[in-house]
Amino acid sequence: MKVSASFLSSKNVVSDIVKLNETDVDYIHLDILDGKFAPNRSLPFSEMKHIYKYTSKRLDVHLMVESPKKYIPLYASLNTEYIVFHLEVDEDIEEDLKLIKKYSIKAGLAIKPDTKVNELLPYLPYLDIILVMSVEPGFGGQEFLEETEEKLAELRKLLDTYNIDALISVDGGVNDKTRSMCSKADIVVAGSYIINGEDFQEKITSLR
Ligand code: DX5
Ligand code: ZN
């Protein structure tokens, strides 16, 4: 299992990112919130872009914004492996996915807890990754929604049926207890479970 670390609920972002860089974590998960798509706002790009000074890890960008096309060119300029935005946005989804690919970055869609996996169907051929949210978007430290386990299984079946080799990532409330409900995923995103511990590496290892 790959692990992507979110620092959304970090109280000391720079020192936590430096500490994460010393672990074998696969990605740094960047939660980008515009204050409209979900009730929280992240640092502006002018500050976020300095992340390259503190980490050599590839970035896994999760856009929780109403208008992904405004943010894609910005986050494509960093050391970015994936850019994921939400299926629930009111924008031309195919166009935004193509925009991400234009920068030679892997593209994905995220779905909120109430969104059914079948809604991904029209976009499957364009997707390198699908992020299943196991909490409502907005904040770190929420509890993992148990129905996610079944949703991950349904999504895996859908990908097998259509022969799509997109990765599945699961985001929100992942810890050593809820990890067993994520076996159908390829990547787990974890924030507070890693950041609130002393030994980041031990936490990361327990999620693999
Ligand atoms: C929620 C974010 C998640 C969150 C993960 O809106 O997308 O990435 O920060 O943090 P934990 O692991 O604390 O739920
Ligand atoms: Zn996230």
Side-chain angles (χ1 to χ4, degrees), residues 138-160:
F139 299 92
Q142 302 179 72
E143 231 172 87
F144 186 92
L145 296 165
E146 296 195 353
E147 55 267 33
T148 310
E149 182 174 18
E150 206 183 304
K151 197 171 180 182
L152 291 171
E154 259 176 65
L155 178 56
R156 178 59 70 198
K157 224 162 119 193
L158 192 76
L159 296 184
D160 288 348

Side-chain angles (χ1 to χ4, degrees), residues 6 8-9 29 31 33 62 64 133 135-142 171-174 189-193:
S6 156
L8 182 61
S9 46
H29 182 85
D31 285 307
L33 292 131
H62 179 193
M64 288 167 278
M133 289 215 66
V135 298
E136 288 297 337
F139 299 92
Q142 302 179 72
D171 183 13
V174 176
V189 179
S192 45
Y193 173 64

Side-chain angles (χ1 to χ4, degrees), residues 45 49 61 63 65 67-80 83 85 91 95-105:
F45 181 72
K49 71 178 181 196
V61 177
L63 298 177
V65 300
S67 181
K69 69 169 184 284
K70 287 193 210 145
Y71 292 80
I72 291 166
L74 302 176
Y75 287 92
S77 71
L78 305 180
N79 183 21
T80 304
I83 298 182
F85 65 91
E91 227 173 52
E95 212 169 85
D96 287 352
L97 289 168
K98 285 182 182 155
L99 178 61
I100 299 172
K101 301 251 185 171
K102 225 179 76 191
Y103 293 99
S104 303
I105 289 172

Side-chain angles (χ1 to χ4, degrees), residues 7 23 25 49 57 96-97 106 108 111-112 116 122 127-128 132 150 168 171 174 177 180 188 197 200 204:
F7 58 90
T23 70
V25 81
K49 71 178 181 196
K57 302 281 184 190
D96 287 352
L97 289 168
K106 293 175 189 147
I111 52 173
K112 296 206 280 186
K116 303 270 173 284
L127 300 177
D128 299 301
V132 175
E150 206 183 304
I168 300 178
D171 183 13
V174 176
K177 308 274 178 325
S180 62
V188 287
F200 287 8
I204 291 161

Side-chain angles (χ1 to χ4, degrees), residues 168-208:
I168 300 178
S169 137
V170 55
D171 183 13
V174 176
N175 57 38
D176 56 344
K177 308 274 178 325
T178 56
R179 163 67 179 78
S180 62
M181 289 184 264
C182 305
S183 59
K184 297 284 185 203
D186 302 288
I187 304 176
V188 287
V189 179
S192 45
Y193 173 64
I194 299 173
I195 301 291
N196 292 344
E198 263 310 299
D199 187 341
F200 287 8
Q201 183 61 60
E202 186 194 312
K203 301 284 177 149
I204 291 161
T205 305
S206 73
L207 296 175
R208 291 211 183 271

